[in-house]
Amino acid sequence: MTKTIKAVTRRHQPTNPLKVYLQTLSASGRRSVGSLLNTAVKLLEPNCDAEHFPWRSLRYEDMVYIRFQMLNNGASIHTINTTLSALRGVIKTAFNMSLIDADTLLKVISIKSVKGDPLPAGRALSRGEVRQMLHTARQGKDLIHLRNSTLLQLLIETGIRRNELVNLQVGDFDAETRVLTVKHGKGR
């Protein structure tokens, strides 16, 4: 009796650790982390972007340089630490893909985060400030003023996040039940 065995091949074998790492993030995370990684890569290679950067060549001294340059350029502590975390994520992915050895991994991820007090996240607006913002947004009678006023009112009344607001679609509002469904919230 002859038995035929069909070889199983993978349809897609990504070799870029950046692409694999970004696939582990949410859609909004992919955009923001991708932007941070592009900024970091440009510090090392001004004519390169994160997608085309040779990640297996990233070294400890590159991480130190990126951290130093971001501090000198006035980036916030949060931005620097998020960038370093993303770089660690890509290099860990490169290790998991057998693109770098364990010694390189340990050296690169050993870069310390920036310590210090981050800038305050903001402050609550007074009722007077909120009224003034709404009054200013309602000044005109054209569609732009109507749109701005509506968006501002929606932000104030619901506490919706900016990203959630810009991802809303007309179909997310049910006029009959007067329910607005946020389908693309944080972590989705």
Side-chain angles (χ1 to χ4, degrees), residues 35 150 175:
S35 175
T150 303

Side-chain angles (χ1 to χ4, degrees), residues 27-28 31 160-170 172 181-185:
S28 61
R31 284 188 302 274
I160 192 171
R161 291 179 171 89
R162 290 177 310 206
N163 193 45
E164 294 168 339
L165 179 68
V166 299
N167 285 311
L168 287 175
Q169 302 293 317
V170 173
D172 296 339
T181 304
V182 177
K183 295 177 182 173
H184 302 286

Side-chain angles (χ1 to χ4, degrees), residues 76-181:
S76 73
I77 291 172
H78 175 75
T79 298
I80 296 169
N81 289 337
T82 303
T83 302
L84 293 174
S85 178
L87 288 164
R88 287 184 200 104
V90 175
I91 208 69
K92 285 177 185 176
T93 302
F95 172 74
N96 290 336
M97 295 173 67
S98 301
L99 299 175
I100 62 167
D101 58 41
D103 188 50
T104 302
L105 170 70
L106 291 174
K107 287 176 184 175
V108 172
I109 66 171
S110 70
I111 186 78
K112 300 287 184 216
S113 296
V114 177
K115 301 290 183 217
D117 294 325
L119 295 174
R123 63 178 180 81
L125 298 174
S126 70
R127 288 186 179 187
E129 289 171 314
V130 170
R131 276 194 295 272
Q132 182 60 43
M133 285 174 52
L134 285 169
H135 176 73
T136 302
R138 293 179 180 144
Q139 288 300 303
K141 300 294 181 200
D142 59 359
L143 290 177
I144 291 174
H145 284 89
L146 178 61
R147 179 205 61 196
N148 292 347
S149 173
T150 303
L151 292 175
L152 188 56
Q153 190 75 39
L154 189 59
L155 283 167
I156 293 166
E157 296 293 328
T158 65
I160 192 171
R161 291 179 171 89
R162 290 177 310 206
N163 193 45
E164 294 168 339
L165 179 68
V166 299
N167 285 311
L168 287 175
Q169 302 293 317
V170 173
D172 296 339
F173 179 67
D174 184 338
E176 186 176 308
T177 61
R178 301 189 53 77
V179 171
L180 178 64
T181 304

